[in-house]
Amino acid sequence: MSKSISDKIVRNPSQSSPFSEILEKNLSRRMVMRGGLAAAFATMTSLGLAGCNSSDDDDDSVGGGEQNPTPEVPGGGTETPTPAPLKLGFDSLPTSMTDACVVPQGYVAHVFAPWGTPLNDNAQPWDQNGNNTSNDLLNSMGMHHDGMHFFPIEGSSTEGLLAVNHEYIDQAALHPNGPTLVAGKRPAEEVRKEINAHGVAILHVRRENGRWNVVNNSRYNRRFTSATAMKLAGPVGGTDWVKTPFSPNGTQVRGTNNNCGNGYTPWGTYITAEENWAACFVNTGTRPAHQRRVGVSAGPAGRYQWETTAGDASEVLGEFARFNVTETGLDATQDWRNEVNGFGYLVEIDPYDPTSIATKRTALGRFAHEGCAYSKPEAGKPLAFYSGDDSRFEYIYRFVSEAVWDPKDAERTDRLAVGAKYLDKGTLYVARFNADGTGEWLALTGSTPGVGGRTLADEFGTQDAILINTRGAADFVGATPMDRPEWTATHPTNGD
């Protein structure tokens, strides 16, 4: 999450007690004395997998059981187990005000694949004065790296594919004179540079003579930008919500934006999370509830004013007009009202297949995703994926696959087909913490009751509508607001 583009407005209208209030009420003196603040917090956040891939599939409770009780000691008290000493494989560094990257003795650090590093010969070397072209940016590293993951080639620890998110841009650094307006319009070349500086890079890297380097012109090197065509899969794909002039059947969308956190899958694909994407779009008319809830701009312009370039003689298939989602036509194929509905998802990429098309997995919800972590895979049991909504007083979510895990799928080479098996069908849940310190996962499906005894189906209709309105659905069922829930993680041994 970048401070420069983070959504600082509280958009959650629910009256549910935030997690901070619930936690404070449960931080009794006894809990703090027994295990310290960390132990008390752990009690409140023990989001076990009961109800998703445990043997008790009917129990969606959170933190309410005593599966690992603290041992009793004579006198009626309890004994806090002494943790094993933490051992580091290097000497720790002293505190310092040094403005530099400092590493322990025996280690080295060097700049590697910064913004503008060419991935192939179609890009000119980075120019510090901002003179690189949009084509250069399309063929080089994007701006402001964030989440990343290393995928080894044939098990190697010295050669592999590095997937890197490019979360946001610094407009002043991208152009010789910063961003400009000419008669109220952004120049097309500037906008294309900014669009291509966003997204994800896959780069082939190799360690030689103690240094990591990019393998230039490797067939694996590729960029995904805010203009790259991607598939829309899962319950939202192909519905009326995502039909546009670019994709009248609603199966594709152009681009991925503001990619912050990340994840990976047991079958070897990369997951990039779309976070602060909503303000790139503007609606100068009446914003529907789902646009207001995620923060689509009400005008006069979007964050980068990309929509002002609409009508440029070089524009292709509404590449700039699509950022203005104001309803102007007779239906969704005559304006760009639905373009924004193609954003806000977890996007799956196969780094090993340079011909593959990135796929947005809509079943995992639509919000400001910050990362994606999966539970420990167990043969014959569903997989669970966790993601936080990184905005003020938003929620944490869990997706449980309909399919059960088959270890053979980890070896398949049709990785996006495996992704479809586990990520396109399943149940999305949102967390609610109770005043007594317990909690539960609430299914965001039609039958789940909410305000006034009405169900999600009564309020929103079909599952695709619930997912488009993920935040609103979570509000409706009484989820617990969190304070900017960001990266999620699961224990690699026990899956907690």
Side-chain angles (χ1 to χ4, degrees):
M1 182 272 293
S2 164
K3 290 183 179 179
S4 67
I5 61 168
S6 65
D7 189 354
K8 301 174 179 62
I9 298 174
V10 177
R11 301 187 185 279
N12 190 334
S14 76
Q15 300 301 310
S16 299
S17 297
F19 180 77
S20 57
E21 290 183 9
I22 298 172
L23 177 63
E24 185 175 357
K25 291 178 181 178
N26 281 272
L27 286 180
S28 67
R29 182 177 183 275
R30 177 175 174 82
M31 290 177 69
V32 175
M33 292 299 291
R34 280 171 54 187
L37 181 62
F41 182 80
T43 300
M44 287 296 300
T45 56
S46 56
L47 301 182
L49 298 182
C52 69
N53 64 354
S54 71
S55 59
D56 184 3
D57 285 343
D58 294 325
D59 181 8
D60 280 344
S61 63
V62 176
E66 286 291 329
Q67 297 177 350
N68 297 292
T70 304
E72 294 185 2
V73 296
T78 57
E79 176 184 4
T80 301
T82 302
L86 181 64
K87 295 182 179 180
L88 301 176
F90 53 85
D91 294 330
S92 61
L93 294 170
T95 56
S96 172
M97 296 294 289
T98 302
D99 184 13
C101 178
V102 181
V103 296
Q105 185 176 1
Y107 290 77
V108 295
H110 62 88
V111 176
F112 169 62
W115 159 46
T117 300
L119 300 178
N120 55 58
D121 290 342
N122 292 320
Q124 295 297 314
W126 177 73
D127 183 283
Q128 65 177 354
N129 297 314
N131 291 309
N132 287 105
T133 67
S134 59
N135 187 67
D136 291 338
L137 266 294
L138 182 61
N139 293 281
S140 60
M141 293 296 288
M143 214 171 197
H144 292 295
H145 304 359
D146 204 298
M148 61 186 71
H149 188 76
F150 178 80
F151 295 87
I153 293 178
E154 297 181 353
S156 174
S157 61
T158 59
E159 184 176 16
L161 307 177
L162 187 64
V164 181
N165 286 351
H166 304 301
E167 184 185 3
Y168 66 105
I169 59 172
D170 183 340
Q171 290 176 293
L174 268 175
H175 313 294
N177 300 304
T180 61
L181 281 170
V182 179
K185 291 180 175 289
R186 295 288 314 282
E189 173 62 9
E190 285 188 8
V191 172
R192 289 192 178 107
K193 282 179 67 173
E194 294 173 10
I195 285 174
N196 290 344
H198 279 87
V200 178
I202 306 295
L203 54 155
H204 184 178
V205 298
R206 184 183 295 139
R207 188 182 182 206
E208 299 172 307
N209 300 319
R211 290 180 66 93
W212 286 95
N213 294 291
V214 177
V215 180
N216 194 37
N217 291 315
S218 169
R219 70 186 187 93
Y220 294 112
N221 293 346
R222 62 191 302 206
R223 282 294 316 282
F224 299 86
T225 75
S226 295
T228 305
M230 301 183 177
K231 292 181 180 179
L232 286 166
V236 175
T239 68
D240 289 344
W241 288 103
V242 286
K243 292 178 179 178
T244 66
F246 174 75
S247 181
N249 62 3
T251 58
Q252 286 196 333
V253 67
R254 279 176 292 185
T256 184
N257 241 69
N258 302 108
N259 305 80
C260 188
N262 71 319
Y264 57 95
T265 67
W267 51 92
T269 57
Y270 184 66
I271 302 291
T272 183
E274 299 181 325
E275 190 192 9
N276 292 302
W277 45 272
C280 292
F281 299 88
V282 61
N283 185 340
T284 58
T286 301
R287 292 179 301 165
H290 64 88
Q291 289 187 9
R292 297 194 305 272
R293 188 63 180 83
V294 296
V296 170
S297 174
R303 177 188 295 140
Y304 301 120
Q305 298 178 288
W306 291 343
E307 73 284 349
T308 66
T309 314
D312 185 88
S314 67
E315 185 176 22
V316 178
L317 294 175
E319 61 179 304
F320 310 125
R322 65 193 176 104
F323 292 100
N324 186 335
V325 295
T326 307
E327 185 175 324
T328 59
L330 295 177
D331 58 45
T333 64
Q334 297 184 19
D335 58 37
W336 296 98
R337 70 186 73 173
N338 284 341
E339 182 71 9
V340 69
N341 296 339
F343 289 78
Y345 302 104
L346 292 171
V347 186
E348 186 179 20
I349 295 171
D350 184 353
Y352 293 105
D353 182 358
T355 66
S356 61
I357 300 175
T359 302
K360 299 197 178 189
R361 302 298 184 188
T362 66
L364 283 78
R366 177 173 176 263
F367 46 89
H369 283 277
E370 178 78 37
C372 179
Y374 63 86
S375 61
K376 180 182 178 182
E378 295 185 52
K381 295 184 178 182
L383 295 175
F385 293 80
Y386 299 85
S387 183
D389 185 349
D390 188 11
S391 290
R392 297 187 64 195
F393 297 101
E394 295 300 341
Y395 308 115
I396 54 174
Y397 296 85
R398 176 185 74 172
F399 174 80
V400 181
S401 66
E402 178 180 294
V404 297
W405 176 241
D406 181 353
K408 294 179 181 178
D409 287 338
E411 307 301 323
R412 287 171 54 177
T413 57
D414 55 340
R415 298 174 189 86
L416 292 179
V418 178
K421 175 181 177 179
Y422 294 105
L423 300 179
D424 285 348
K425 292 183 179 181
T427 302
L428 181 66
Y429 297 84
V430 66
R432 178 168 67 195
F433 295 91
N434 301 317
D436 62 0
T438 62
E440 56 196 314
W441 288 109
L442 306 172
L444 296 183
T445 54
S447 61
T448 302
V451 177
R454 289 164 51 82
T455 66
L456 282 173
D458 294 333
E459 183 71 10
F460 296 101
T462 56
Q463 187 62 25
D464 51 305
I466 292 172
L467 292 169
I468 286 288
N469 293 274
T470 301
R471 283 183 176 177
D475 298 338
F476 186 77
V477 299
T480 299
M482 311 287 286
D483 188 7
R484 299 203 72 100
E486 292 207 28
W487 294 74
T488 53
T490 59
H491 196 288
T493 302
N494 61 24
D496 288 348

